[in-house]
Amino acid sequence: MKHLLYCVLVLVGLGACTPDVRVDVRWEEESPFAGEYAGIVVPVNIAPLNFIPTDSLVFESVLVLSGSGRRLVVRDKQGAFIPELKAWKALLSSLRGKEIEVEHCVKTEQGWASYRPFTIAVANEPIDPYLVYRLIPPGYEKWHEMGIYQRNLENFEEQAVIANRQTDYNCINCHSFCDRDPDRMMLHMRAKHAGTLLIEQGGITKLDTKTDRTLSSLVYPYWHPGGQFIAYSVNDTKQLFHVNHSNRIEVIDYASDVVVYDVRRNELLTTPALFSKENMETFPAFSADGTKLYFCSASNQNMPEDYEKVRYHLCCIDFDAETHSFGQQVDTLFHAEINRKSVSFPRVSPDGHFLLMTLSDYGNFSIWHQEADLWMIDLRTGKTEAVDEWNSSSVESYHSWSSNGRWVVFSSRRGDGLYTRPYIAYMDHDGKAYKPFVLPQKEGGFYQRFMYSYNIPELVKGPVEVDNRRLVKQALDGEIIKVKELE
Amino acid sequence: MKTLWFNYLKYCLPDWGVGVLLCFLLYAHVAYYIPYQLCELEHENLFVSDTDTWMRVWETPGGLADVLGLWLTQFLAIPYVGCFVFLLPIFLLWPVMICLLRQAGASFAFVVPVAFGSVITQLLVQYDFNFNQSGSIALLAAWLFLYFLSQIKPSGCRWAMFMAGIPCVAWLFGSIVVVYTLGGLILFFCRRNYMWAVVSLAVLGVMLAVGYGTGCIENFRLFLSPAFYYCSLVEFPVVHWISWVIPLLLILIVRCFPSFGSSLRLGVRGIVVCCLWAVVTGCFLHYDPSFRNTSNQTLWRLNHYSFMEDWKGMLDFLSSRRPITNQLYMNYANMALAQIGSLGDHAFYFHPRGVKALLVEANSTASVYMLMSDVQYTIGGIADSQRYAFEAQTALPRMCGVQTLMRLVKTNLILGHDAVAEKYLALLEKTWFYKEWAHRYRKFLHNPRALEADVELGEKRRGMSKHNRFVMSHGWNRELEDVLQSDPSNRKAIAYLGLSYLLAKDLQGFRNFLETYYGTEGLKQLPLAFQQGVMAVYPQDVEKWEFYRVSSQVKDLYLSYVKQLQGLQGYPGKKRQMKKEYEYTFWYYYMFT
């Protein structure tokens, strides 16, 4: 028995050993890792990155991560190089505000050689520790399994907030948080057990949000920072399939409006500017201080024939939370026709200085638009430009800010053109954007075999702690409160 | 010792013989009745042979059973081998149950047929398409584990092992832990050591509570029933509890009456044994149709033919089932006819009814979506084919199957979505049976020249609509016209388009169709059904008959048809009479269907 124990210990010891890497030759050539990782900025509290080479590696390789006297050797594990969690954390802590030097070393017949090293910056500011998203196959009309999940960004733990296998496989969508507060959230359920679940400080309310005067139940949400209001769109939406187009399908609105739901009074507010027959208003978003309501607006077209003519402007209107009233004037921040682009998902940074939005050639359902890109408006100067560092030739669509305003998570289909993955990117105080990296996973080949899309990635300040079973019980059997008619 | 062996040979050898014979008969039964159900199971699943898959063994309760079950599915489509693989875990139950029943004190006399009862119950349950094979694997594992425990002599040690086994079985094999625990209690503790039994139950209870509390067990009720191994989208039939209850009951009876039968005279024993075998066999024969999904076997068979592109096999099979009244089968028939290039000639051979005989409407099941994808792929509607293949994939229990993936690879390659095609190919490359296929298609990635040179993919790409529009925005005929505009040589699309007018009895539409397409590359000569259509559109116009080169046989047949029809005017049995000679003609369809 003793011998066996010794053998096991020796084997474990051998396995844990890292090769002695003494580089004899330094190549000027760029490492196959550099394209993806050189120049990225990572938060100090992020889980270990997945270093995956863009080309297959010819030689036995190791990655040497170093800085401030620390050195971490990372070995290949099924085609990916993923640092050990504790060692990675220690390295990041010691290099906060500095850079990690990444040296890709390969074992040749002549000994160890290395590619030209590259660096990864470690930002001073941490990212919010949790990311909440919906996992759903990127399908069309049919759905099956989906759910809203939360991922601890500091490690690899993922947990279901609610999965539709618990609720008779209905459709669960549009989760949203009040100012990234995990204790204040909402989500919708469609088909079976339809309703909107409002979660506030442990209490769960189920709402029936369809009223006679609104086009539909409440759809795309955005919380007022004060927590008393949630702005929503109401939409008459259809989807159609292209025969020969770079985009597979088109999700189009035939009509839409914007309303604001008063959480305390259980009533809807709106104003003619948000509820007009001539225009379609959608994707509402409050400013950081809650005094303005941003929304997208397009004039009605003959649908579906003229779907390519529908372009959404970015507009805003004043909102007074005290008096429950809207301003009289609508400002247009981004004119769709002049710019020949259409706006979706306006999101204001927590400091109120920037507005990040998605621009596509037309329409509003940008996740199916290969040309969709992220654009930023500096609200102080009005300067509007594409965030080239974050964009790719494929889709960039939904995005959310971290509570310190330094991090953005956005969804992109750059990986394979169909399955959306969340990317994390840094933006400094001056609004300079840095190269993003994909949400790291425990296994290197994860995204290659994962058959779900990450939908609506929302950063939150902590874990969603509402009890899953209570949430399910309320979703299935909870009393439904009808939202008061719009006056 | 000698007497023991003598008794064993005397009582058990004939029983073993009967049992083995029954096993062969069951194999034949499976091979005869559900071979295409097994193929469907294979097509609807995907076993990716890599470390990640095997790591799933540890990730969730029942992980090992699930992975092993999925592993077995990859063999199910192999003729005859699939049936054996399907039955293997069930057949293995038999010797294990015999050993356990003997351990419980059953006499030699009845143990063999009684043990076979549990084989039959499990087979009946597994006949259900929605029951995963992992359920049978888990049951086998639970009984096997109990048998090994029964070999441990010191009761304290056995109890400790039994207790340790509870969480292990739960984690690796899922809800079968209930059978394991109850079976163990009956076997080891039902007549003594009550305290141990109570403690064991308490352990199970605590384990379930912890599992539930920590979220490992999401649904408490599910984890206490065989529904754990059942497709979650479908309601679990209560009768499936038999696979758990019957063997437990048998062990309980044996434990309660251990020496039953040992004192019976040889002749009486023989009669009882014969009765037992008769009951087992009778129960199986009686209940088999209610467990076996009889209504879908044909659909699965047709889907398998389609998957294998065995159009001749499909038509031979469908010919034996005429007249076809099911529109799904009719879709397959027309597709197979189109594939072999004779849709226009044999369009009315299977008695189609309406335009839906060409393409049914979606009903949100994977089988129907896949059929729609097949039809669209046949005619060159690649975007729609891809859409329905993806919908079919989403509708599958595991949301990923070999058949849908292969179609998605092809359609994505044709549409130029190479990155996602590569993702699917990477998965198929990790399978045993589709590795070669995936390698073959990998060469088309980022290589449009190779793709266009390929007979199948190249033709489909050339036939893609040059102008974008929304799918089905102007109906099915417009879809086909669009395909033909891009590729006038597409004979399948021409056959579908012409036939869609005939099936809709739209003679004006058919006239326009002829004017547009006759003489084009895909319609240099009219097939039989279209010639009959010409006669219906221009009944008096001999010039048109000549222009469209209607054959003399068709002309003669038409003239005799008209003559006979006129002769039967007012006759109530006209339809029956006309059917005798003209049931496969467009004219009969036009007037009487």
Side-chain angles (χ1 to χ4, degrees):
Chain A
M1 192 65 190
K2 253 184 186 175
H3 290 104
L4 186 71
L5 192 67
Y6 287 144
C7 287
V8 169
L9 285 173
V10 167
L11 281 173
V12 169
L14 281 174
C17 279
T18 49
D20 185 20
V21 183
R22 283 195 209 110
V23 175
D24 304 313
V25 188
R26 296 192 188 278
W27 297 336
E28 265 313 295
E29 207 180 321
E30 200 171 65
S31 159
F33 293 94
E36 200 75 20
Y37 303 97
I40 63 170
V41 182
V42 297
V44 69
N45 56 335
I46 194 71
L49 292 184
N50 301 166
F51 292 96
I52 300 167
T54 43
D55 291 322
S56 52
L57 301 174
V58 181
F59 302 107
E60 181 193 334
S61 298
V62 293
L63 289 183
V64 181
L65 313 181
S66 58
S68 288
R70 280 182 182 271
R71 188 166 185 264
L72 174 59
V73 179
V74 188
R75 303 173 78 183
D76 184 1
K77 192 184 158 198
Q78 294 164 40
F81 295 72
I82 305 177
E84 191 271 323
L85 181 67
K86 267 190 185 169
W88 168 258
K89 289 280 179 186
L91 184 73
L92 287 190
S93 308
S94 66
L95 292 171
R96 189 174 189 139
K98 298 175 189 163
E99 286 184 337
I100 303 171
E101 186 181 87
V102 183
E103 195 172 18
H104 175 194
C105 307
V106 295
K107 197 175 183 183
T108 65
E109 282 170 8
Q110 288 77 37
W112 285 96
S114 75
Y115 289 96
R116 196 171 63 214
F118 60 89
T119 57
I120 291 172
V122 183
N124 264 317
E125 304 90 340
I127 192 168
D128 290 325
Y130 278 81
L131 185 69
V132 180
Y133 41 78
R134 179 170 69 149
L135 292 180
I136 182 172
Y140 313 116
E141 284 160 353
K142 176 82 188 165
W143 75 80
H144 179 180
E145 277 201 27
M146 67 172 84
I148 294 172
Y149 293 81
Q150 56 179 331
R151 160 73 192 270
N152 187 338
L153 294 178
E154 297 179 347
N155 51 45
F156 299 112
E157 280 169 21
E158 186 190 66
Q159 194 186 1
V161 175
I162 186 168
N164 76 337
R165 61 175 176 271
Q166 301 173 295
T167 54
D168 295 333
Y169 294 94
N170 60 359
C171 177
I172 299 174
N173 55 57
C174 291
H175 57 281
S176 174
F177 296 87
C178 174
D179 196 21
R180 292 156 277 270
D181 179 355
D183 295 333
R184 280 181 169 179
M185 77 173 285
M186 55 96 4
L187 57 97
H188 298 309
M189 296 197 301
R190 306 280 186 232
K192 277 186 188 171
H193 316 294
T196 295
L197 292 173
L198 195 63
I199 302 148
E200 277 195 293
Q201 319 293 351
I204 308 168
T205 314
K206 188 174 179 183
L207 302 171
D208 173 3
T209 60
K210 176 74 182 85
T211 70
D212 289 343
R213 284 198 57 207
T214 47
L215 289 164
S216 66
S217 298
L218 303 178
V219 187
Y220 304 124
Y222 197 97
W223 285 74
H224 188 271
Q228 194 187 335
F229 303 97
I230 310 173
Y232 285 102
S233 64
V234 284
N235 310 63
D236 174 13
T237 307
K238 304 239 175 340
Q239 54 178 329
L240 297 160
F241 296 80
H242 290 290
V243 166
N244 187 358
H245 198 274
S246 55
N247 303 323
R248 290 167 187 241
I249 72 170
E250 207 58 61
V251 181
I252 53 180
D253 277 355
Y254 282 67
S256 65
D257 294 309
V258 165
V259 294
V260 174
Y261 174 65
D262 186 330
V263 176
R264 306 277 169 269
R265 298 182 187 179
N266 187 35
E267 65 183 21
L268 298 175
L269 322 168
T270 192
T271 183
L274 300 173
F275 209 79
S276 73
K277 285 233 182 310
E278 298 73 37
N279 296 318
M280 296 186 282
E281 301 83 13
T282 191
F283 294 131
F286 285 106
S287 60
D289 59 5
T291 58
K292 285 184 187 303
L293 178 64
Y294 295 90
F295 62 98
C296 302
S297 174
S299 54
N300 279 332
Q301 300 287 344
N302 178 31
M303 299 295 256
E305 287 76 11
D306 295 333
Y307 71 97
E308 282 179 303
K309 291 184 186 164
V310 179
R311 290 199 182 87
Y312 287 82
H313 309 288
L314 175 65
C315 303
C316 89
I317 189 167
D318 288 342
F319 179 71
D320 189 336
E322 292 291 313
T323 59
H324 296 64
S325 62
F326 297 91
Q328 295 300 309
Q329 190 187 323
V330 173
D331 294 329
T332 303
L333 279 79
F334 182 91
H335 199 286
E337 293 305 331
I338 294 171
N339 293 285
R340 310 293 291 166
K341 289 279 179 190
S342 183
V343 182
S344 52
F345 306 122
R347 293 289 184 266
V348 182
S349 64
D351 59 11
H353 294 168
F354 300 100
L355 185 147
L356 188 60
M357 59 188 174
T358 306
L359 290 191
S360 48
D361 287 350
Y362 59 87
N364 72 54
F365 214 79
S366 46
I367 195 65
W368 286 108
H369 279 241
Q370 289 294 328
E371 80 285 359
D373 279 334
L374 295 173
W375 284 57
M376 190 88 78
I377 301 179
D378 187 332
L379 294 172
R380 298 164 298 186
T381 61
K383 189 179 165 196
T384 305
E385 57 187 6
V387 193
D388 292 334
E389 279 294 331
W390 298 349
N391 291 325
S392 70
S393 58
S394 189
V395 184
E396 277 73 39
S397 184
Y398 196 86
H399 43 267
S400 83
W401 292 91
S402 68
S403 37
N404 57 18
R406 295 283 70 83
W407 298 97
V408 166
V409 171
F410 62 89
S411 58
S412 175
R413 289 187 165 173
R414 67 187 65 180
D416 53 40
L418 181 61
Y419 294 83
T420 317
R421 303 172 189 176
Y423 287 78
I424 299 170
Y426 182 73
M427 197 187 81
D428 66 20
H429 286 88
D430 303 325
K432 184 176 180 331
Y434 291 81
K435 191 170 161 183
F437 60 95
V438 71
L439 174 69
Q441 302 290 348
K442 198 154 64 175
E443 304 293 338
F446 175 85
Y447 290 111
Q448 274 71 42
R449 60 178 297 166
F450 196 55
M451 302 295 265
Y452 289 81
S453 272
Y454 284 80
N455 184 222
I456 314 185
E458 286 281 358
L459 285 165
V460 279
K461 292 170 190 163
V464 177
E465 282 178 339
V466 61
D467 181 59
N468 168 267
R469 290 198 180 91
R470 210 156 61 80
L471 189 58
V472 171
K473 191 168 171 10
Q474 192 67 14
L476 297 177
D477 311 319
E479 183 197 352
I480 300 181
I481 296 167
K482 182 101 180 144
V483 170
K484 287 180 200 162
E485 282 295 331
L486 187 65
E487 287 175 10
Chain B
M1 190 66 184
K2 221 174 183 180
T3 325
L4 197 70
W5 267 105
F6 179 72
N7 280 340
Y8 181 79
L9 291 176
K10 190 167 65 180
Y11 299 130
C12 291
L13 213 55
D15 277 346
W16 276 102
V18 174
V20 170
L21 180 68
L22 275 181
C23 284
F24 276 110
L25 290 175
L26 287 179
Y27 172 83
H29 192 270
V30 169
Y32 182 75
Y33 282 109
I34 62 160
Y36 297 101
Q37 174 174 328
L38 306 189
C39 294
E40 184 71 16
L41 282 168
E42 194 269 349
H43 302 336
E44 288 194 1
N45 285 287
L46 175 79
F47 183 81
V48 178
S49 183
D50 65 4
T51 323
D52 287 348
T53 301
W54 289 105
M55 286 307 286
R56 276 192 4 233
V57 164
W58 313 108
E59 284 174 5
T60 50
L64 181 59
D66 189 51
V67 171
L68 288 176
L70 190 59
W71 184 78
L72 287 182
T73 57
Q74 59 184 331
F75 303 99
L76 294 181
I78 307 171
Y80 304 108
V81 174
C83 303
F84 178 72
V85 170
F86 179 76
L87 286 166
L88 186 64
I90 300 170
F91 282 167
L92 288 175
L93 272 177
W94 187 35
V96 175
M97 280 304 291
I98 289 171
C99 295
L100 271 173
L101 288 170
R102 286 287 301 130
Q103 203 70 37
S107 69
F108 280 132
F110 311 125
V111 74
V112 179
V114 165
F116 208 82
S118 64
V119 171
I120 292 299
T121 52
Q122 189 59 33
L123 178 59
L124 286 174
V125 172
Q126 202 177 286
Y127 261 163
D128 188 331
F129 185 75
N130 295 309
F131 188 80
N132 294 328
Q133 212 173 359
S134 57
S136 299
I137 293 168
L139 189 67
L140 175 67
W143 290 130
L144 206 56
F145 203 29
L146 285 175
Y147 173 70
F148 286 128
L149 288 179
S150 72
Q151 300 303 302
I152 299 171
K153 294 293 174 228
S155 55
C157 184
R158 180 197 294 167
W159 181 67
M161 291 288 283
F162 173 68
M163 296 272 285
I166 292 175
C168 296
V169 171
W171 193 257
L172 294 175
F173 296 100
S175 71
I176 206 70
V177 70
V178 175
V179 173
Y180 169 80
T181 311
L182 294 178
L185 293 182
I186 296 167
L187 279 168
F188 308 137
F189 312 116
C190 91
R191 286 189 298 181
R192 57 184 186 281
N193 304 326
Y194 292 112
M195 189 50 90
W196 288 4
V198 171
V199 174
S200 305
L201 278 175
V203 167
L204 177 66
V206 168
M207 191 207 69
L208 291 173
V210 170
Y212 189 68
T214 53
C216 291
I217 300 171
E218 270 187 6
N219 186 328
F220 207 72
R221 270 167 46 197
L222 190 73
F223 205 80
L224 292 173
S225 95
F228 184 82
Y229 308 102
Y230 204 72
C231 173
S232 54
L233 294 170
V234 188
E235 199 176 332
F236 178 70
V238 181
V239 70
H240 284 18
W241 275 92
I242 57 163
S243 66
W244 283 16
V245 172
I246 297 286
L248 283 172
L249 214 57
L250 290 175
I251 290 177
L252 187 65
I253 291 167
V254 167
R255 289 294 280 162
C256 294
F257 309 102
S259 53
F260 179 76
S262 52
S263 58
L264 292 175
R265 286 212 317 260
L266 192 61
V268 179
R269 280 189 201 173
I271 292 168
V272 174
V273 167
C274 286
C275 288
L276 283 173
W277 278 118
V279 167
V280 166
T281 315
C283 281
F284 175 73
L285 292 175
H286 182 73
Y287 291 109
D288 150 60
S290 47
F291 282 85
R292 188 159 41 86
N293 187 327
T294 48
S295 59
N296 278 345
Q297 300 294 338
T298 305
L299 191 63
W300 292 329
R301 182 173 188 159
L302 293 170
N303 184 45
H304 179 64
Y305 284 133
S306 177
F307 179 73
M308 302 299 290
E309 299 181 9
D310 180 4
W311 312 117
K312 192 179 172 306
M314 186 187 285
L315 289 170
D316 287 345
F317 170 67
L318 286 169
S319 296
S320 67
R321 295 181 61 97
R322 283 183 309 123
I324 294 173
T325 51
N326 184 315
Q327 291 288 44
L328 298 173
Y329 306 167
M330 189 58 80
N331 274 216
Y332 276 113
N334 286 325
M335 180 172 65
L337 285 170
Q339 290 283 2
I340 62 166
S342 60
L343 178 59
D345 288 323
H346 298 96
F348 297 97
Y349 181 66
F350 292 103
H351 302 276
R353 281 168 187 268
V355 184
K356 288 203 175 72
L358 296 174
L359 183 66
V360 289
E361 279 177 7
N363 77 347
S364 82
T365 62
S367 298
V368 173
Y369 278 131
M370 199 59 221
L371 166 61
M372 295 174 81
S373 174
D374 287 346
V375 173
Q376 293 285 8
Y377 190 77
T378 301
I379 61 143
I382 302 303
D384 240 8
S385 176
Q386 174 170 270
R387 166 194 171 187
Y388 290 126
F390 202 96
E391 300 284 36
Q393 175 146 292
T394 309
L396 294 175
R398 291 180 191 269
M399 299 187 2
C400 194
V402 168
Q403 188 178 14
T404 50
L405 272 190
M406 289 166 83
R407 171 60 45 74
L408 287 171
V409 166
K410 285 185 181 179
T411 52
N412 277 299
L413 283 170
I414 295 164
L415 291 166
H417 302 152
D418 286 17
V420 74
E422 191 168 8
K423 177 188 178 102
Y424 299 143
L425 281 171
L427 289 175
L428 288 165
E429 278 169 343
K430 289 180 185 167
T431 62
W432 283 4
F433 297 105
Y434 301 96
K435 201 188 300 176
E436 293 302 315
W437 186 94
H439 284 324
R440 194 154 61 80
Y441 277 83
R442 183 168 276 281
K443 74 172 186 228
F444 299 121
L445 287 171
H446 316 291
N447 190 353
R449 195 173 289 177
L451 189 133
E452 274 151 28
D454 183 71
V455 176
E456 180 185 343
L457 302 185
E459 182 199 291
K460 303 287 184 200
R461 178 171 275 189
R462 282 190 296 279
M464 269 172 57
S465 175
K466 300 287 181 282
H467 313 286
N468 184 47
R469 65 184 158 72
F470 289 128
V471 166
M472 288 289 192
S473 52
H474 297 91
W476 165 246
N477 289 357
R478 175 69 195 280
E479 297 287 302
L480 294 160
E481 283 166 8
D482 225 35
V483 170
L484 287 169
Q485 198 178 6
S486 306
D487 181 12
S489 66
N490 186 334
R491 290 183 187 182
K492 293 168 196 157
I494 285 234
Y496 265 89
L497 181 59
L499 193 55
S500 81
Y501 287 116
L502 294 181
L503 290 176
K505 302 181 183 179
D506 178 2
L507 294 185
Q508 183 57 45
F510 186 68
R511 182 199 294 245
N512 297 340
F513 163 79
L514 289 174
E515 285 166 7
T516 312
Y517 294 103
Y518 180 64
T520 61
E521 207 177 331
L523 196 64
K524 289 220 157 43
Q525 197 177 346
L526 293 186
L528 190 65
F530 292 3
Q531 290 184 34
Q532 292 170 357
V534 169
M535 300 302 287
V537 173
Y538 304 105
Q540 311 291 337
D541 193 340
V542 180
E543 267 183 33
K544 289 288 183 193
W545 300 358
E546 296 308 319
F547 176 73
Y548 287 116
R549 288 189 282 162
V550 177
S551 69
S552 53
Q553 289 96 322
V554 172
K555 282 187 253 182
D556 294 345
L557 192 68
Y558 179 69
L559 294 174
S560 77
Y561 173 85
V562 173
K563 194 174 167 191
Q564 195 165 342
L565 193 66
Q566 284 165 350
L568 290 169
Q569 232 164 20
Y571 175 60
K574 186 165 65 177
K575 183 178 176 182
R576 193 165 18 92
Q577 198 65 29
M578 295 299 287
K579 190 179 177 185
K580 280 182 191 163
E581 280 185 61
Y582 307 103
E583 67 169 316
Y584 305 131
T585 65
F586 169 64
W587 314 307
Y588 178 82
Y589 171 82
Y590 187 76
M591 288 208 68
F592 299 107
T593 303

